[in-house]
Amino acid sequence: MRGCESLNPYQQYKENAILTASPEELVLMLYNGIIRFIDEAKTALQKKDYVETNAKIQRAQDIITELMLTLDMNYDISKNLYNLYDYMLRRLIDANVKKDIEILDEVRGFAVDLRDTWSLALQKVREKVYATKG
């Protein structure tokens, strides 16, 4: 990691946000990253920039792989998420090989649903914690 003095203010803010985020907030950031990289891949694909398309799809794949590796397989939900992540990975590979925006949209839809569900669950937990404190 670089020293903060070499970062511009936006990079420093981003790095601080990641370093101070709770594990739950990090998951939300990862889902947002998948969505962002898929959007960037779609833009690159529309421009027929296949090198950039590949790079962005691979970034989304890396995030999904990281999510898979952090699952606690002692819970049934983790097994279900693992299967969904595995499907998303395979579809991203298909999208990359076929240069198919519709497949990217499909995977993006899963990522948006996961992000929105996670965000709602996080909000409910926070409300419950604040209700018990106040």
Side-chain angles (χ1 to χ4, degrees), residues 29-30 40 99 106 115 122 126 130:
M29 289 179 188
L30 291 172
E40 291 173 2
K99 306 300 182 227
E106 174 192 2
R115 185 220 32 217
L122 196 54
R126 286 179 180 153
Y130 292 134

Side-chain angles (χ1 to χ4, degrees), residues 96-115:
N96 206 357
V97 170
K98 296 175 183 174
K99 306 300 182 227
D100 190 322
I101 286 181
E102 286 182 22
I103 298 172
L104 290 174
D105 285 336
E106 174 192 2
V107 177
R108 186 187 190 282
F110 286 124
V112 167
D113 287 347
L114 287 164
R115 185 220 32 217

Side-chain angles (χ1 to χ4, degrees), residues 38-50 53 99-102 104-105:
I38 288 174
D39 287 344
E40 291 173 2
K42 286 172 52 178
T43 299
L45 186 54
Q46 290 165 340
K47 294 177 182 176
K48 298 192 182 331
D49 183 346
Y50 301 123
T53 301
K99 306 300 182 227
D100 190 322
I101 286 181
E102 286 182 22
L104 290 174
D105 285 336

Side-chain angles (χ1 to χ4, degrees), residues 12 14 18 53 57 69 73-74 83 92-93 105 128:
Q12 190 172 354
K14 245 172 82 173
I18 291 168
T53 301
I57 290 174
L69 292 172
M73 298 310 280
N74 292 316
N83 290 333
L92 284 175
I93 292 167
D105 285 336
K128 190 173 184 176

